[in-house]
Amino acid sequence: MIITGDDPEYITFVKARLRDQFLMTDLGPLRYFLGIEVSSTFDGFYISQERYIQDLLDRAAHGDERTVETPMELNVKLQLTDGDPLSDPTRYRHLVGSLVYLAVTRPDISYPVHILSQFVSAPTTVHYSHLLRVLRYLRGTITRRLFFPRSSSLQLQCYSDATWASDPSDRRSLSAYCVFLGGSLIAWKTKKQTAVSRSSVEAELRAMALLTAEVTWLRWLLADFGVSITTPSLVLSDSTGAISVARDPVKHELTKHIGVDAFYTRAQV
């Protein structure tokens, strides 16, 4: 259990009441929890999973000591029929499941983990080779951490993107976003869209709608924490078409086939 707050006396009181009701041990300041390492400095906090990565590499028992600069090659399009089926897919599933949890603190592997997790039902030798590349990347970047500065502002800044018709099997697009609270990265996601987009504008707008829902929830969460947000949260996209649709609901020729996402994003704006 993690107990946090800005009132040390009340935290002490809560721990005392818990000890009266339950058998518990106070482990002191937060340093390690469920595979996540936390270190505190004068400037802020660092969060990492270095020990978890090392345990993962040890469990993988992969003798290759090479490292790579990127977790996945550029413009890779994996399909179900690539390569030969693995005789025992258990190892692949175990490693991908571990990577899914590792992505909690490693946004740089969010995309390849999302791609590899689509083949856990019937992985092949090609899928496994790309999985090993992710492990080589982690071996070379094991010390990377997320930093949360103490002096960071409490304003949200958000980025959305999409890859149009990127899945060769069903031509569905990928949505991706990341959210910063001041200078701290607090949320990110890569997710396949639920429907086929007929244009890149539509794919970008669906990604923008996904991010808008996340930002709306984060603003509610910050309000529950007592953080007053009186200014709009900046949402950034590199699609001028999607931005135009979000700003102008009368572009019927662009929006009539998109459906709810355009209206949802416009309503939040």
Side-chain angles (χ1 to χ4, degrees), residues 244-264:
S244 298
V245 172
R247 285 178 174 172
D248 186 2
V250 301
K251 290 183 177 293
H252 301 298
E253 290 301 317
L254 291 176
T255 61
K256 63 182 181 181
H257 67 288
I258 296 177
V260 176
D261 286 334
F263 294 98
Y264 173 77

Side-chain angles (χ1 to χ4, degrees), residues 90-255:
T90 304
R91 186 183 194 82
Y92 181 92
R93 294 166 182 166
H94 171 74
L95 293 175
V96 170
S98 299
L99 291 176
V100 169
Y101 184 67
L102 178 59
V104 170
T105 63
R106 292 295 298 262
D108 49 339
I109 66 170
S110 176
Y111 173 76
V113 170
H114 171 79
I115 297 298
L116 295 173
S117 63
Q118 298 180 55
F119 306 104
V120 292
S121 60
T124 68
T125 53
V126 172
H127 305 147
Y128 189 70
S129 67
H130 285 279
L131 174 61
L132 294 181
R133 181 184 176 91
V134 176
L135 296 180
R136 295 189 188 102
Y137 171 76
L138 291 173
R139 186 186 302 278
T141 60
I142 191 172
T143 58
R144 287 190 178 177
R145 304 179 291 176
L146 289 178
F147 178 58
F148 299 88
R150 296 180 186 271
S151 58
S152 178
S153 70
L154 297 178
Q155 298 299 318
L156 294 172
Q157 184 160 311
C158 325
Y159 301 84
S160 75
D161 201 0
T163 56
W164 179 46
S166 58
D167 193 322
S169 61
D170 55 18
R171 286 304 172 189
R172 284 192 284 172
S173 307
L174 284 181
S175 298
Y177 67 74
C178 62
V179 182
F180 287 83
L181 182 63
S184 304
L185 180 61
I186 62 171
W188 57 88
K189 177 175 284 189
T190 302
K191 182 179 178 65
K192 182 187 283 191
Q193 297 180 1
T194 57
V196 177
S197 298
R198 294 172 56 190
S199 67
S200 60
V201 171
E202 181 178 351
E204 294 281 358
L205 192 59
R206 291 186 189 277
M208 194 181 296
L210 182 67
L211 173 58
T212 302
E214 179 75 8
V215 174
T216 301
W217 179 81
L218 286 172
R219 288 175 67 95
W220 289 343
L221 181 64
L222 290 171
D224 288 342
F225 288 159
V227 178
S228 177
I229 299 182
T230 58
T231 59
S233 299
L234 189 61
V235 176
L236 302 176
S237 171
D238 62 353
S239 172
T240 56
I243 293 173
S244 298
V245 172
R247 285 178 174 172
D248 186 2
V250 301
K251 290 183 177 293
H252 301 298
E253 290 301 317
L254 291 176
T255 61

Side-chain angles (χ1 to χ4, degrees), residues 39-65:
S39 59
S40 175
T41 67
F42 178 79
D43 297 323
F45 295 89
Y46 290 92
I47 294 181
S48 67
Q49 289 177 277
E50 183 174 344
R51 192 186 309 177
Y52 182 88
I53 295 175
Q54 188 59 58
D55 292 342
L56 174 61
L57 295 174
D58 294 339
R59 292 198 306 270
H62 184 52
D64 190 352
E65 296 293 330

